[in-house]
Amino acid sequence: MDQQQKTFRRIVTGHDTTGKATIISDAVPVNIHLVGGPGGPTFFEVWHTLESPALIHAQPDEMDESNLLLGPPKNGTRLRVIEFPPEGDEIRKLTGLDAAEKFKSMGDAHASTSANGAPHPLMHRTKTVDYGIVLEGEITMILDRGEVTVHAGDVIVQNGTNHAWANRSDKICRMAFILIDGEFTSEIL
């Protein structure tokens, strides 16, 4: 099976010294992380903001972030694209400790909720509202109670739910995610 994917561009706009809209950069994302080695997902960190409302700079530049961070900055946002390869036994056979290590490598070991009897070894939860858009392929979102398979063009609005992603197809699934920092209300355990 061919795992080669076409590259996508990130176009960033800004303002010149006269206040006119201009293109600041047009290139592939440079902050790319393969999580867990071959067979793991590839994260393309596209952009993030540090506050809400987001400050709009005349000449926005690449944020100084060399490590992969699972969630957005406090009160900020994050845009990323993830390529999920077809899931193999190396994922299905992960232990809870293995899963915690994977999330630790993404800067948030506490996100892992993997436990014996969990619906998937990479179950996790973050204090975020996430918009997930399937760009190519298909993937199954697994929740505590139920799962749904989504296809290119489908959109998921995820409200801090415990979940995992399983690519049960034979092709890469590419998704775009917009992550928004959040807080749980008192009604959510």
Side-chain angles (χ1 to χ4, degrees), residues 24-50:
I24 302 299
S25 70
D26 182 347
V28 298
V30 295
N31 195 355
I32 300 170
H33 302 272
L34 176 62
V35 176
T42 302
F43 285 59
F44 298 83
E45 298 301 283
V46 180
W47 197 257
H48 70 270
T49 63
L50 299 175

Side-chain angles (χ1 to χ4, degrees), residues 8 18 21 44 67-68 71 78 86 89 92 132 164 166 171-173:
F8 66 94
T18 67
F44 298 83
N67 295 323
L68 177 63
R78 182 175 307 283
D89 286 339
R92 291 188 283 269
K171 294 185 169 94
I172 284 178
C173 175

